Amino acid sequence: MNNAITRTLAISSFALLMSACAGTQKVPVEAKFGLSSAKDNYKNFSIFQGSSSSNDPGFSLEAEIDPGVKDRIVYSGGYQQLSDIEFDGLYMGVDDVGKIETEMLTVSAGYRYPFTDRFSAGGRIGAAAVDVNEQELFGGVPEKSSASETVPYGGITMKYRVNDRFAISANYDRYLDVGEEGETGEGDIDVFGLSFDISFGASRGSD
């Protein structure tokens, strides 16, 4: 997927979903705007004797269907651009310096339990359509590679509700086998996120 096209489609779909839900007033939906930090192991560290870092935050835009009843099931979907991974080291006996960019479209289903009227926590599982793009200097020669695939993920979420309209959420998700070994490198990714949530649509009922 082209980065600009992917972002445009994701944001447009998100805006349409929010408009529809706010208009029908039947389905309680939350818009989630978040920042995230990613920790990766794209490179095979048995042969890559260097280092990698993620200095800039990633961001996410997500819609969540949350009926707001006890012992509830929650559905979500959205767009996420992870923080860039910069690596510097010796890979297969060649100086290898570069950057990996990752973006994804996600869908998930989860279970959240309300411990109090304001605080709830639970887990979720889902699938992500992932695009990985790598730019590097491989032995001084510029190279580019990419990979597109669908991978499973799962994690935990926590939410603190400020009032009926606003909430703050935190999440941890692990994405499995992202990338391709012979192209961008392959590995699991741990993502830690924090989001600001706004409720639309029908009344949430009792948490």
Side-chain angles (χ1 to χ4, degrees):
M1 287 182 284
N2 178 275
N3 287 359
I5 293 176
T6 301
R7 293 191 190 96
T8 301
L9 288 174
I11 293 172
S12 297
S13 299
F14 180 85
L16 287 173
L17 177 60
M18 289 294 97
S19 298
C21 291
T24 61
Q25 294 291 307
K26 293 181 180 180
V27 180
V29 173
E30 289 191 346
K32 303 169 68 70
F33 307 88
L35 297 176
S36 63
S37 175
K39 180 177 176 57
D40 80 298
N41 62 345
Y42 272 119
K43 295 300 184 181
N44 184 340
F45 287 103
S46 66
I47 54 179
F48 178 68
Q49 303 300 321
S51 63
S52 64
S53 62
S54 176
N55 299 318
D56 61 322
F59 72 91
S60 62
L61 181 64
E62 191 174 21
E64 182 176 86
I65 300 175
D66 184 346
V69 295
K70 286 186 177 295
D71 302 341
R72 61 184 178 268
I73 303 297
V74 181
Y75 301 94
S76 65
Y79 168 81
Q80 185 163 192
Q81 180 173 302
L82 301 185
S83 48
D84 294 342
I85 305 297
E86 297 182 358
F87 58 89
D88 184 357
L90 194 65
Y91 181 61
M92 297 174 60
V94 180
D95 288 332
D96 189 24
V97 179
K99 179 172 69 174
I100 298 175
E101 300 173 334
T102 307
E103 62 179 358
M104 58 184 71
L105 298 175
T106 63
V107 292
S108 72
Y111 172 88
R112 185 183 299 128
Y113 183 80
F115 290 93
T116 72
D117 289 341
R118 294 186 180 273
F119 176 76
S120 61
R124 64 180 177 180
I125 57 173
V130 184
D131 278 350
V132 183
N133 292 283
E134 180 184 38
Q135 302 178 46
E136 63 182 328
L137 287 175
F138 191 77
V141 179
E143 291 191 3
K144 293 183 179 180
S145 58
S146 62
S148 297
E149 58 187 344
T150 300
V151 303
Y153 75 96
I156 58 176
T157 65
M158 294 180 291
K159 176 180 289 188
Y160 178 78
R161 181 158 297 285
V162 179
N163 53 41
D164 287 344
R165 183 66 66 183
F166 302 108
I168 298 173
S169 296
N171 67 277
Y172 160 75
D173 292 298
R174 185 174 182 86
Y175 296 82
L176 303 178
D177 298 328
V178 178
E180 295 181 6
E181 185 63 44
E183 297 292 331
T184 61
E186 181 182 78
D188 300 338
I189 301 179
D190 297 309
V191 179
F192 303 86
L194 184 68
S195 68
F196 178 69
D197 310 342
I198 306 174
S199 296
F200 295 87
S203 172
R204 294 176 39 81
S206 174
D207 278 348

